[in-house]
Amino acid sequence: MGKQKALLVFWLCLFQAGLGFSEENAMRKRLALTPPMGWNTWNKFGCNVSDELVRSMASAMVKSGMKDAGYEYVVIDDCWQVSRDANANIVVDPQHFPSGMKPVADYVHSLGLKFGIYSDAGSKTCAGRPGGLGHEYQDAVRYASWGVDYLKYDWCNTLATQDARASYENIRAALDASGRPIVLSICEWGKHQPWLWGNDAGGNLWRTTGDIQDRWGGKQKWPSGDCCSNGVLAIVDEQVGLESFAGPGHWNDPDMLEVGNGGMTTTEYRSHFSLWAILAAPLMAGNDLRSMTPEIHDILTNKEVIAVDQDELGREGRRISKDGEREVWARPLHDGARALVLLNRGSSEESVAVDWKQIGYPDHLGASVRDLWAHRDLGQFTGKFSAPVASHGVVMVIVRP
Ligand code: GLA
């Protein structure tokens, strides 16, 4: 081959390889064009997972109207696995999943829902069950054979020398090789700034912080003395500056919802849910769907708030003003409107205001304002909008010119 021809072949190969990669990544992105929505066992049930629990929750997801509101994935978090067999295949806990995992996945699918599971990039999961390290391809094939649609991959018990990006690229490649489209949820708690590489590594979402706790306030040490569990406000503060890393197919994940788990007031849960929607966060409910109060049900199924979370433009909202305990968060929507959360972190009612110029509109512009919790049009406003906001509460509106 002449030198020139060889060079041409070289560039063609390179081009094709590049094309292959971007096509593959585009395919993975299509798995989560809007933030994934579903339910996960961890926040309410911890290690108490079983066939019966998962089936009853999937069925409650349909009966309660959660499925109609957009919730799709039923995800079993830690503790479904007990060991590896003589061939190193992962063994499902025979006591709590007596028929294995596939029948559970089949049942979830029969309801028109999708099925998710959890593992870990280290030798053991955070609860000390067998992890995926060294078994990525073997596990991925098994997950695919069960019908897994979503994998949350944790970061406990990894090696000191283990590279986070390479580890997640590895499990992504293993999932792709399984031939089944599987959403990849990166869960390394923001330790290695996954917002910088999570998208290129083929992740569809990545945790940005340590674990959420069912609490309004800031950071608290765990009972062991380790740092730290996060209340809603601590998590929200840590999202500032990460907005531009999210987009269709790849989302910042401020952790799963605690709505309905009993540690916060209804007002606080409404704020938690509104902020997650403004942040384009994955909406993974974490409460018992079989026994929700009407108030909690109305929060989790508020279709107007969910529509903001799922807006097709996929732009994460940002904090556009902070004045002591009063904050305004804004998110541009696909039709040019803005979703706003007026937040009052303080202990008494406050008036919270926003000027049009803060949301990129000219002063003279008239716009309609709709309250997404009252489900009411509030009328036409020009140049600014303000509203009284209860302590720890929000007013969530759409401003539409
Ligand atoms: C970590 C994760 C949690 C949960 C537990 C399970 O703490 O961040 O979301 O998956 O592990 O052990």
Side-chain angles (χ1 to χ4, degrees), residues 63-84:
K63 286 197 200 118
S64 63
M66 295 277 288
K67 181 188 174 204
D68 284 344
Y71 295 84
E72 189 179 18
Y73 293 95
V74 176
V75 183
I76 307 180
D77 209 282
D78 209 344
C79 301
W80 58 266
Q81 61 283 74
V82 283
S83 57
R84 289 193 180 271

Side-chain angles (χ1 to χ4, degrees), residues 47 54 57 86 97 128 154 172 178 183 191 202 204 336 346-347 361 401:
C47 265
V54 177
M57 214 57 75
F97 295 90
D154 217 332
R172 175 79 266 176
S178 80
V183 170
K191 270 185 100 163
N204 297 106
S347 52
Y361 292 159

Side-chain angles (χ1 to χ4, degrees), residues 40 42-43 47 77-79 118 120 125-128 152 154 156 187 189 207 209-211 255-256:
N40 175 300
W42 184 254
N43 281 356
C47 265
D77 209 282
D78 209 344
C79 301
Y118 160 103
D120 187 289
T125 69
C126 297
K152 173 175 169 184
D154 217 332
C156 277
C187 177
W189 326 302
R207 283 273 299 278
T209 67
D211 289 6
D255 207 358
M256 303 174 291

Side-chain angles (χ1 to χ4, degrees), residues 51 55 97-110 115 146:
D51 175 309
R55 285 178 198 249
F97 295 90
S99 348
M101 207 48 98
K102 184 156 180 356
V104 182
D106 287 348
Y107 178 74
V108 170
H109 289 143
S110 76
F115 180 66
W146 292 338

